[in-house]
Amino acid sequence: MANLKEIRNRITSVSSTMQITSAMKMVSAAKLKKAQDAITAMRPYADKLTELLQNLSASLEGDSGSVYASNRAVNKVLVVSITSNRGLCGAFNSNILKQSVNLVENVYIGKQVDFVAIGKKANDYLKKRYNVISNHNGIFDDLTFDNVSEIAEDLMEKFAKGEYDRMDIVYNKFKNAATQLVMTEQFLPIIPAEGEEGSNSDYMFEPSKAEIVEQLIPKSLKTQLYKAIRDSFASEHGARMTAMHKATDNAKELRDQLKLTYNKARQAAITNEILEIVGGAEALNN
């Protein structure tokens, strides 16, 4: 059994760790509320915009936006992997990296697959194994639609020039603080809506269909990427809050066990000292 000083040092160390994890949990909880409100408010708009785009995509031929709907033979793929810049958030980052690797090894077998890393964890892992053409770690320092739009415009330009035949986004979708869903969404080319071909008849175009499509497609694609990053941002804080909550509980349990061990060791030491005193007194009496 460890001596009393070693046990006391371990209790002090575990208590300090528990204070740190508890503080990180509270910080993440505060940030989660704001991030959750942002993605919850944005989702209906983003989903409706995507629905409109998909309904229009069936008749894009000949329009100015048709370049983003062109289905080419898939030889070159670009995957946008969205992780966080920091760890201590459970399996949040590892799930995204596993899915990114799965796309290379099991989905796009024999294809050229490059990556765009959003988040330091994605860049650090993927650049050792694959070709990462760009890294956007700083986007979380100022997460605005305008900053995300610059990334989306670069992706759209690469697709329009034929540098890539398909683009996917891999990210964590926020469900609640304890649950994040790993999503793989097709970014380009645009996915046409499923169902009857006459879905576009419900819309009246003013001033013209061509002008509306020209503005709608870039805006919808930018919104899709922005929503994915916002989802990931909220998921990160939810995952970190949950992980730090579990870590705090584990530290508290370990501290209680150490205190029990310490009390038993101290009691044993006191008992031994009493026995030694009694034994010494009896020896003197004899």
Side-chain angles (χ1 to χ4, degrees), residues 165-200:
D165 305 312
R166 177 176 171 128
M167 295 183 177
D168 289 341
I169 305 174
V170 181
Y171 69 99
N172 279 296
K173 181 178 180 179
F174 178 81
K175 184 176 181 181
N176 54 54
T179 306
Q180 300 82 39
L181 306 176
V182 178
M183 304 294 293
T184 302
E185 290 184 357
Q186 181 174 320
F187 184 65
L188 286 167
I190 299 167
I191 304 174
E194 297 179 357
E196 299 180 0
E197 295 181 357
S199 58
N200 293 326

Side-chain angles (χ1 to χ4, degrees), residues 2-9 261-263 265-267 269:
N3 59 45
L4 294 177
K5 182 178 181 180
E6 291 177 348
I7 298 176
R8 282 199 303 270
N9 290 339
T261 302
Y262 176 79
N263 290 334
R266 186 178 63 175
Q267 185 63 47

Side-chain angles (χ1 to χ4, degrees), residues 4 15-16 20-22 27 42 130 186 211 223 251:
L4 294 177
S15 297
S16 298
I20 294 172
T21 56
S22 179
V27 170
M42 180 184 178
Y130 309 104
Q186 181 174 320
E211 292 182 36
T223 302

Side-chain angles (χ1 to χ4, degrees), residues 2-33:
N3 59 45
L4 294 177
K5 182 178 181 180
E6 291 177 348
I7 298 176
R8 282 199 303 270
N9 290 339
R10 290 186 64 188
I11 291 174
T12 301
S13 176
V14 171
S15 297
S16 298
T17 301
M18 188 174 67
Q19 290 177 348
I20 294 172
T21 56
S22 179
M24 292 181 67
K25 171 191 170 183
M26 290 187 290
V27 170
S28 292
K31 291 182 178 180
L32 172 63
K33 181 64 171 67

Side-chain angles (χ1 to χ4, degrees), residues 88-152:
L88 297 177
C89 47
F92 174 83
N93 291 314
S94 61
N95 287 339
I96 295 300
L97 298 176
K98 287 178 182 177
Q99 178 61 13
S100 299
V101 173
N102 178 65
L103 291 177
V104 178
E105 297 182 349
N106 299 316
V107 179
Y108 299 120
I109 302 173
K111 314 293 185 183
Q112 175 188 328
V113 181
D114 295 336
F115 286 92
V116 168
I118 298 180
K120 186 175 183 296
K121 295 299 180 180
N123 182 61
D124 291 347
Y125 181 85
L126 294 173
K127 71 179 181 180
K128 298 176 182 178
R129 298 163 176 80
Y130 309 104
N131 180 32
V132 178
I133 64 172
S134 62
N135 174 33
H136 303 280
N137 293 345
I139 191 68
F140 295 111
D141 296 333
D142 188 17
L143 185 52
T144 63
F145 182 80
D146 290 338
N147 290 337
V148 175
S149 294
E150 296 178 3
I151 303 175

Side-chain angles (χ1 to χ4, degrees), residues 220-245:
S220 177
L221 292 172
K222 292 174 185 177
T223 302
Q224 181 183 355
L225 181 61
Y226 183 58
K227 180 179 74 72
I229 296 177
R230 270 289 178 192
D231 252 319
S232 179
F233 188 64
S235 297
E236 175 192 349
H237 292 302
R240 181 170 291 111
M241 186 186 74
T242 301
M244 292 301 99
H245 175 73

